[in-house]
Every structure is written in structure tokens, then in C-alpha cells.
Amino acid sequence: MTNPSGSYGDEPLVTVSVSGDDGSGNAGSYRIKAPAGASASSTRWIMPGETVDIGDLSIERGFFYVGDFRRARPGPVDACVVDTGAQVAQEGANPAADIGILPPAYTTLSAEERRTYLEWLASPRRKSDIHTRYLFLHLFGFERRVLLDGAAGRVSEAEYGEMTRELQRMLNLDADYSWQRHVRNLLEIIGLMTARTGKVYDQAPPNGSATGYQVPLNVRVAFGQAALDNHPVPAGWALAWVKLDPMMIRRAAVTRCPDEFDRVFVRRYRERFHEGMLVPVNRTRLNVLPQPAFKALQNVPLPGFLLGLPDVAAVTGPRNRLQLLMNESADALGAFSRYLGRNPEAYGSLEATLMLPPDVWPDATRDAIAALAAEVSGATRLTTFGALLSRFKVMGTLTRDKLASFNAALAQAGIAVEPDVRLGARTPKPDDAVALFVAPATSALAHTDDAYVVATLMVDLAAAVARADGAASAAEIALIEREIAAWSHLEPLQQTRLKARNLVQLQQAVSGAGLKKKLEPLPAAVKQAIACFLVQTANADGTVSREEVKLLEKIYRMLDLDPQRLYIDLHQGASAASGSGGVRAAGARRVAGAVKTGKVPKAGAHDARSTNEGFVLDTARIAALQQETARVSAILADVFVEEQPAVAVEASNAQDAVEPDEPEEVAPAPGALLGLDDAHSTFLRLLVSRPAWTRAELADAAADLELMLDGAIEQVNEASLDHWDEPLTDGDDPVEINQDLAQRLAA
């Protein structure tokens, strides 16, 4: 198939025939030969899909010129044209041998060298098959097509696209610097030519890394056009500048985690400049020089739309602003980059991902969170901590800081976790139960206060009582949830979290460690309200088991209540639920007596009329329990309003575990190191006292200073980076100390 766009005006096509599918059904190959009497040369650009036969060789891959110069003298720009009238040998020359001609031209090649070149054109065109000078001869054809035919408007956008793809493939055929530079230059020119009817800054920006010694031409043209038009520079072109400008100072994060850097930079660029940075028009004009390898094309005039543009690379203002933004973006990835530097195989793991800003997390992690959010949207989901982590790529054990970051990221997706280490909970073990429920999408922590902490104690104790006999009944669970819903002094989100907490605690034993210490500060009225709530829970299913009584006695002692009072409370609770006389009151007394002697009716009684088998909830009982719930809630609300209990809240706000606050700018205390506060200065002095530490040893040291270990190490390393551009520590267990920095500190 012939390509009309490849013709030169009215040049006759009398000596070259090109085959293809022209729609007539006459597809086939035609040998190129000069008819007798040819009086003028013919030059044609061959595109892929067209077949050219020269001697016994068929060439189908296109991207070269053919012509016949037996009756016409070739001009300087015809060095790249395959002369169909030139002699071709039956055997080629050594393809790896240097043809020794600068610049090479097809007509000056020997017959054997022409054979070698044509065989390469007919092959898949790999570098291993031919010397670099043959590659340049082939490149000359591309340059002529772009700079002559393209400038004259004879090349379509589709053809530019095909040439771009072929040149990108050819770029890595040879590592020779000159070859790569000229191919890249031509790709830039093609990019500019495709924008001849529009603006370069509206095109897709280039990608890659800095080469050479100046900003690529297409980037400077895009910035120059934006300056002239007073148009904001799009984020993609700003990113192209910082990545392709060889004058830019790039930190390790830019090259070590390029995808993450791109996303962080673009986000921060848009936050800072909104639609884009405005670039002033400076005086220096941009000198657009194609710099082709083909010498005959070096003085070809450029299209007018590339003339008169300001050269933004000649001023420092835009570059300095982009450098600052690049540094800030790299800083945001500092911890992630250093972690990958030590653990390159950890890329994509949850541990590494948690060091990234959530909005630049990998797509796989985002997809896993989205799937989890869809599952949780219907109802609270109860699972184990190990099962939750198995949905993500976890390489080892998550530290408390990383788990806090993980919970914060889930919170941003509208998924709340109970227990949450950010609210002071201990780090769950793989088999521990966790509840996931819907919450407003925010990274902010839920509000916690003394009232909420007391409520968590009540829920934990009630869950322990409910499951004391092996499993909580539906009636006990329903009562606890009704009680939570009636606590009007709590916020709705707090109530939702308490219900989730109840489900978790019903799945596993409640630890009694430190429970007495938490209960001691409570006022007497709150302790009595808790006792009343627990008795209600035990009575909820109509049967109080021996195990429930034993646990209630222990709790009464923790509450500084007389254990003997328990039996009165159980009797009164049963009476209140059963009515004021008759069979139920008598039954309640018998149950109380049985509880006291250890002979308690078994759970699961079904006949409400049989007092020997326990109690069964009915409508009157439910109403009575709801009234009792309201009474307890009123007591609690009054206490919380009139007298705030001095409850020690365990790390009720663990925001520091997610992102440490910036320290206030104060004058360093005497003895402070690297601008750190007293605690971290002491920790630093301790670190440099040894060449290496085990993690357990450092955990003890951090605990003595009331510091979180990972946060303390991170802060020390950040201070070290600010002063010396190197972290002080390396590794996780053992933690090794940079001895060069330790000596600098000692000096």
C-alpha cells in the first residue's frame, strides 16, 4: 500500500514500486527496478506494512527512504536513501565491523556493506546484529522525515505516533552516549511537531530521568509557552522539570521510590499552586536547536511556533520553587525510603506502606481496604487480629507505632477498629478478637474522657459476668447493648464503639490485671451503679450460675462492697424483674437462697411458671430491666456532671504514635544535643555509648525515659539527618550505631 503523504510534491514515481493492500485485491510484492528511459530520481518514505523487494531481499518493517539515483545526482539530504540502482553483493560484510565513514551514506557503502545494511533492515533490527554506524544511517532517515517532511506538514499525527514508538524501542539498541542523545533529541522534536497546532503544555509530559547537562527542549518549550500565555504550568510538566533537570539536587527518595515521589510531589504541587505555578516572561530567548546527527539537516529552519519563546531555564526563580517543593516531597518519604534502603525486599509490605502518607499507598493496599470497607458497611464484623492482617502483606510483627498508623488509615476509609491502640489498648495478638465497624471517615481520634473510660470498665465487667458460665446468652447481650444505648452522657460514636467492644470481650477472657487499680478512684455512687449493672446482667436470662456468683463476689471486693450484699442485690434484682409477689417473688427468694448456698438453677430454663428451674424473660421483665437501666444511667450522668472521677486514662490520645507533633521552638536546654529535648538528648547519649543494641535493651531504656522506642529512634535519626545528612542508627534488631557520627558528637 502506497503512502501519499510520503511523496515529494510532483516528483514522479517511475523508478520505485511499493506493494500493499490498496483495496483492489492486488496485494503483493513488487521488485524495485528502474524502467528503461527513466529521466529523474524518485524518493519514497516507506512505512511499516509496505513491502519492498530489493534483489532477493524483502523488507516489510518500513521507516526508511528508497530512491533511484542512476540518472540523478543525490543531494546531501539523500545520504539516508536506499538507492535501488546501487549494486548489492550476494554476501554481506562483517556486520560488527566499523564501516569507517563519518557521516555514513548509503551510496558510499561498498556492495557488501549495502548487503549487510539491507539484511538488517529486513530483520527484527536488533543492535547485536550490526555496528553502531549502520544504526546512525538508519536514524538519518527518521531525522529527514521529521525535520523536512514534518516541518512541511506532510506527516500525520498517527505517523508521528508510530515513529515515536519505534524510536523508543531503538533508544536502547546501543548504550553509546551519542546515539542515545540524538535519539532523545529527535523524540523531543517529534513531541514538539505534534503540538504545532496547539500548545506543548497541553500534551502529555515526558517521563524519565535527567541526562545531559540541561533541561530537555520540550520541557523548556512547554514552560516558555505557559509564560507567554500567562497559563498555569500543569503539575505533570512541573514534575517533568524536577525529574529531568540535571541541575536539580535529588535526595535518595526521588530515585529509590519514584512512583511514590511522583504522587506526593503532584499532590503537594496542587496544594501549593492550585491550578499551577505562573511563570514570568524573562528576557532570555529559547534557542530551539534540533541538533540532528544528520549534518545536512542542522540548518533546517524551524516552524514559527517554536520561535521567540522565553527560556525559563535561564532564571532561578521557578527552579528554586520547584527545588523546595521537591525537597519537601522527598522529606515526606524519608522514613519510607530509608526503610527500603535497608530492606529492599519489603517494598509493598504493610510495614513499608505504613511509612507512607495514606493518599499515596499502593493500589493493592487501597483495594484491600476498599474491600474491607464494603464488608463492614453492612454490620459490625468480628474477626481476629491475625485474620485482619492476613488481608495485607505483612512481613513480620507490627510495632505499636505502625499499628497506630494502620488504624488511622483504616479510619480515613470509614473503618473503626476495636480495640484501638491509639486509645490506649494493648497491641493485639494474632488470635485476639477485633471488631470492625463503620465510623465517620476521618483520621482524627474518637473523643475519650473519664465518662467513656468508666463505661469501658462497665462493659468489660458485664461481658466477663455474661460469659462466666461459658457463653453469654442472647438476653445478657441484649441487656448490655440496651444499657449502652441508654447512656445519654456518651456520644453516639462512643456508644457504637462500646457495643463493638462488648462483642470483642464476649469472645475472650477479660484480663483482671490492673482492674482493681482502675476501679479504686471511682466515687462510691459509680461503684454502686456498676454493681447494680452487673447484677442485672447476671439476672438477664433468669438464671444466675455458680461461676457468675463467684466472679461477682470478686468484683464486689474490688469495688470495696461487702460480698454478702451481693445476695441481697441478686434477690432484689430478681424481684424487680419478676414482679412484686406471687410465684415470681417466691422464686426469686429461692434463687437468692440457692445462690448463697451454691445451688443455682441452670441456665436455659423455659417454663416461667416453674420456679425451681429459674427465670425466663417476658415483657414485664424487659420493661423492668429498662427502667433499672434508666435509673443507673441517671446516677452515672449525675456523677459525671457533678464530680468528675479521677480516672487514669491509658494513652487516651495516641496521636503521637501516628505522626509526632512538631516541637515548639524554644531555646535548647543546657546539655541538649542536636536541638533535642532533655529526654531525647539523654536517649541519644545512651545510644552512642555502644556500637550496637538489641531491641529489648533499647525498649527498656526508652521505657525508663517514658519514650516510645520507635518514635524516639525516628526523632534522633531525623535530627542526625538535619545536622549530618545521615541517620545515626541502622537496622532493627540489633540496632547498630554509626560510629563516625558518634565520634562527631563526642567532638
Side-chain angles (χ1 to χ4, degrees):
M1 173 177 171
T2 59
N3 184 358
S5 66
S7 302
Y8 275 116
D10 58 354
E11 284 185 320
L13 304 180
V14 295
T15 61
V16 178
S17 297
V18 180
S19 68
D21 186 359
D22 58 4
S24 64
N26 295 324
S29 299
Y30 297 88
R31 191 172 307 277
I32 298 178
K33 54 186 177 180
S39 60
S41 68
S42 171
T43 302
R44 266 305 267 160
W45 173 252
I46 306 301
M47 286 293 292
E50 303 177 43
T51 301
V52 175
D53 289 344
I54 302 178
D56 60 345
L57 296 173
S58 291
I59 306 173
E60 300 178 349
R61 296 177 63 87
F63 296 124
F64 66 99
Y65 284 98
V66 294
D68 186 345
F69 299 110
R70 282 177 295 184
R71 294 184 178 274
R73 183 180 180 85
V77 297
D78 293 325
C80 59
V81 179
V82 173
D83 182 3
T84 57
Q87 183 181 1
V88 178
Q90 293 299 314
E91 296 291 335
N94 179 6
D98 189 346
I99 56 181
I101 301 174
L102 273 177
Y106 184 83
T107 55
T108 60
L109 297 178
S110 68
E112 290 77 16
E113 289 168 342
R114 291 189 194 115
R115 177 78 186 194
T116 298
Y117 181 56
L118 293 175
E119 286 179 346
W120 181 80
L121 288 179
S123 75
R125 300 180 184 177
R126 295 185 296 266
K127 167 62 180 76
S128 59
D129 299 335
I130 203 164
H131 191 273
T132 302
R133 295 202 190 273
Y134 290 104
L135 294 181
F136 273 103
L137 178 58
H138 184 50
L139 180 63
F140 291 170
F142 282 94
E143 293 182 335
R144 170 174 169 167
R145 183 64 174 163
V146 173
L147 296 176
L148 286 184
D149 296 353
R154 298 192 183 105
V155 181
S156 68
E157 185 174 342
E159 185 181 339
Y160 276 132
E162 291 188 65
M163 285 195 291
T164 296
R165 287 187 288 273
E166 178 64 8
L167 286 168
Q168 288 173 339
R169 184 193 71 84
M170 291 171 56
L171 178 64
N172 294 318
L173 291 183
D174 199 311
D176 178 74
Y177 171 77
S178 179
W179 166 259
Q180 297 228 338
R181 179 171 64 87
H182 284 103
V183 173
R184 286 195 177 94
N185 287 346
L186 185 56
L187 284 169
E188 289 180 6
I189 295 297
I190 290 177
L192 296 177
M193 290 296 190
T194 58
R196 58 183 294 122
T197 59
K199 298 296 182 181
V200 175
Y201 55 72
D202 288 331
Q203 306 295 317
N207 195 8
S209 56
T211 58
Y213 55 90
Q214 59 180 311
V215 182
L217 181 59
N218 53 357
V219 178
R220 287 182 289 156
V221 169
F223 271 72
Q225 288 182 337
L228 278 183
D229 297 344
N230 196 31
H231 188 281
V233 176
W237 283 98
L239 177 63
W241 186 294
V242 303
K243 296 184 72 174
L244 298 173
D245 183 353
M247 297 294 292
M248 287 286 189
I249 300 173
R250 295 173 185 83
R251 299 185 181 177
V254 179
T255 54
R256 187 177 287 156
C257 38
D259 293 341
E260 290 76 15
F261 171 79
D262 290 357
R263 292 197 291 271
V264 171
F265 179 87
V266 169
R267 175 173 60 84
R268 292 189 173 226
Y269 180 84
R270 288 171 177 160
E271 289 174 354
R272 175 118 0 128
F273 299 112
H274 305 292
E275 294 299 320
M277 179 175 64
L278 291 175
V279 180
V281 178
N282 56 294
R283 296 182 179 181
T284 304
R285 299 296 94 181
L286 178 60
N287 187 14
V288 184
L289 292 177
Q291 297 181 332
F294 197 2
K295 303 296 185 182
L297 299 175
Q298 288 186 344
N299 296 319
V300 172
L302 290 173
F305 77 98
L306 294 177
L307 303 176
L309 297 175
D311 189 355
V312 180
V315 293
T316 59
R319 177 183 274 119
N320 289 343
R321 279 183 282 173
L322 293 175
Q323 178 74 70
L324 178 61
L325 191 60
M326 181 169 66
N327 292 344
E328 293 174 1
S329 302
D331 287 344
L333 297 171
F336 177 73
S337 174
R338 291 190 291 274
Y339 185 78
L340 289 185
R342 298 191 301 269
N343 309 281
E345 74 286 352
Y347 186 84
S349 68
L350 185 60
E351 294 91 329
T353 299
L354 290 173
M355 296 181 179
L356 287 169
D359 53 355
V360 295
W361 280 19
D363 290 340
T365 306
R366 288 173 170 272
D367 293 343
I369 292 178
L372 187 61
E375 294 177 16
V376 173
S377 62
T380 299
R381 177 178 174 82
L382 198 63
T383 183
T384 64
F385 183 60
L388 173 62
L389 292 185
S390 69
R391 302 175 70 113
F392 303 87
K393 184 181 176 182
V394 180
M395 296 185 61
T397 303
L398 289 183
T399 63
R400 189 177 180 86
D401 286 355
K402 289 187 175 64
L403 181 55
S405 299
F406 180 52
N407 288 356
L410 292 179
Q412 285 187 328
I415 306 171
V417 182
E418 178 59 36
D420 192 334
V421 295
R422 299 180 301 158
L423 298 177
R426 67 173 179 83
T427 303
K429 297 177 181 178
D431 294 335
D432 286 351
V434 294
L436 308 173
F437 58 95
V438 176
T442 175
S443 59
L445 284 172
H447 173 65
T448 57
D449 52 18
D450 286 355
Y452 176 78
V453 175
V454 172
T456 62
L457 292 175
M458 294 178 67
V459 169
D460 291 354
L461 292 172
V465 171
R467 71 184 308 275
D469 51 5
S473 66
E476 290 170 328
I477 296 172
L479 183 139
I480 297 173
E481 291 189 348
R482 283 198 305 274
E483 178 75 16
I484 294 171
W487 289 340
S488 58
H489 56 280
L490 298 179
E491 299 173 0
L493 184 57
Q494 291 177 326
Q495 292 175 326
T496 303
R497 180 171 287 278
L498 286 173
K499 291 178 182 179
R501 184 185 187 94
N502 179 48
L503 295 178
V504 171
Q505 300 294 44
L506 290 171
Q507 294 295 313
Q508 55 199 23
V510 179
S511 173
L515 192 57
K516 181 175 177 61
K517 185 177 180 180
K518 297 176 184 177
L519 294 172
E520 280 180 353
L522 298 178
V526 175
K527 292 180 178 179
Q528 185 58 49
I530 292 175
C532 182
F533 175 39
L534 300 183
V535 169
Q536 288 182 62
T537 303
N539 270 317
D541 57 3
T543 302
V544 183
S545 68
R546 180 182 291 104
E547 293 80 8
E548 288 175 332
V549 172
K550 184 177 180 181
L551 178 58
L552 284 170
E553 287 179 341
K554 181 178 180 180
I555 294 173
Y556 264 55
R557 284 191 287 269
M558 291 182 183
L559 292 169
D560 295 325
L561 298 176
D562 185 359
Q564 296 301 316
R565 179 181 173 82
L566 168 64
Y567 304 102
I568 300 174
D569 292 343
L570 286 171
H571 170 74
Q572 290 178 343
S575 299
S578 302
S580 59
V583 176
R584 292 188 181 277
R589 286 192 293 273
R590 280 193 289 273
V591 169
V595 168
K596 195 170 185 177
T597 59
K599 299 176 181 179
V600 184
K602 295 181 179 180
H606 296 283
D607 189 354
R609 293 168 296 180
S610 175
T611 59
N612 293 326
E613 294 182 1
F615 298 98
V616 177
L617 289 175
D618 57 17
T619 303
R621 178 172 180 80
I622 292 174
L625 290 172
Q626 288 176 332
Q627 292 176 0
E628 183 66 14
T629 295
R631 185 182 69 80
V632 174
S633 299
I635 293 174
L636 288 173
D638 290 342
V639 170
F640 293 140
V641 171
E642 296 172 6
E643 181 181 359
Q644 294 291 334
V647 179
V649 181
E650 295 183 1
S652 61
N653 190 338
Q655 182 64 34
D656 291 344
V658 183
E659 184 176 354
D661 294 334
E662 291 292 333
E664 295 181 5
E665 294 196 9
V666 296
L673 298 177
L674 305 184
L676 297 169
D677 57 29
D678 289 343
H680 288 88
S681 293
T682 303
F683 183 71
L684 173 57
R685 290 189 182 91
L686 193 62
L687 281 176
V688 298
S689 65
R690 303 185 196 175
W693 296 76
T694 66
R695 186 170 181 84
E697 291 170 339
L698 282 183
D700 291 339
D704 290 340
L705 294 168
E706 297 183 349
L707 297 174
M708 299 183 69
L709 177 57
D710 290 303
I713 291 176
E714 185 70 14
Q715 192 157 338
V716 167
N717 279 333
E718 289 295 339
S720 177
L721 284 165
D722 288 341
H723 281 75
W724 299 309
D725 202 29
E726 286 186 75
L728 180 69
T729 71
D730 188 30
D732 189 58
D733 193 4
V735 177
E736 298 177 354
I737 309 302
N738 187 320
Q739 292 303 295
D740 289 338
L741 300 187
Q743 292 176 7
R744 293 189 203 177
L745 191 66

